[in-house]
mmCIF file of all heavy atoms in Angstrom:
data_model
loop_
_atom_site.group_PDB
_atom_site.id
_atom_site.type_symbol
_atom_site.label_atom_id
_atom_site.label_comp_id
_atom_site.label_asym_id
_atom_site.label_seq_id
_atom_site.Cartn_x
_atom_site.Cartn_y
_atom_site.Cartn_z
ATOM 1 N N GLY A 166 -37.768 20.871 11.649
ATOM 2 C CA GLY A 166 -38.169 22.251 11.934
ATOM 3 C C GLY A 166 -39.599 22.555 11.548
ATOM 4 O O GLY A 166 -40.245 23.404 12.152
ATOM 5 N N HIS A 167 -40.102 21.847 10.529
ATOM 6 C CA HIS A 167 -41.464 22.137 10.067
ATOM 7 C C HIS A 167 -42.474 21.100 10.530
ATOM 8 O O HIS A 167 -43.451 20.817 9.852
ATOM 9 C CB HIS A 167 -41.481 22.330 8.553
ATOM 10 C CG HIS A 167 -40.681 23.536 8.154
ATOM 11 N ND1 HIS A 167 -41.113 24.804 8.409
ATOM 12 C CD2 HIS A 167 -39.451 23.641 7.610
ATOM 13 C CE1 HIS A 167 -40.184 25.669 8.013
ATOM 14 N NE2 HIS A 167 -39.169 24.979 7.529
ATOM 15 N N CYS A 177 -45.934 30.037 10.008
ATOM 16 C CA CYS A 177 -44.577 29.733 9.542
ATOM 17 C C CYS A 177 -44.474 30.068 8.054
ATOM 18 O O CYS A 177 -45.440 29.882 7.310
ATOM 19 C CB CYS A 177 -44.297 28.251 9.776
ATOM 20 S SG CYS A 177 -42.643 27.733 9.300
ATOM 21 N N CYS A 179 -43.388 28.411 5.844
ATOM 22 C CA CYS A 179 -43.649 27.207 5.036
ATOM 23 C C CYS A 179 -45.128 27.044 4.738
ATOM 24 O O CYS A 179 -45.514 26.214 3.916
ATOM 25 C CB CYS A 179 -43.112 25.961 5.732
ATOM 26 S SG CYS A 179 -44.175 25.309 7.030
ATOM 27 N N GLN A 181 -47.544 26.418 7.181
ATOM 28 C CA GLN A 181 -48.246 25.817 8.316
ATOM 29 C C GLN A 181 -48.236 26.785 9.506
ATOM 30 O O GLN A 181 -47.610 27.838 9.476
ATOM 31 C CB GLN A 181 -47.547 24.512 8.726
ATOM 32 C CG GLN A 181 -47.436 23.493 7.605
ATOM 33 C CD GLN A 181 -46.788 22.214 8.087
ATOM 34 O OE1 GLN A 181 -47.458 21.267 8.437
ATOM 35 N NE2 GLN A 181 -45.464 22.195 8.112
ATOM 36 N N CYS A 184 -45.027 25.676 13.615
ATOM 37 C CA CYS A 184 -43.884 24.778 13.414
ATOM 38 C C CYS A 184 -42.863 24.997 14.531
ATOM 39 O O CYS A 184 -42.719 26.114 15.045
ATOM 40 C CB CYS A 184 -43.203 25.062 12.085
ATOM 41 S SG CYS A 184 -44.169 24.611 10.646
HETATM 42 ZN ZN1 ZN B 401 -42.949 25.484 8.927
#
Side-chain angles (χ1 to χ4, degrees):
H167 296 289
C177 182
C179 80
Q181 303 182 96
C184 291

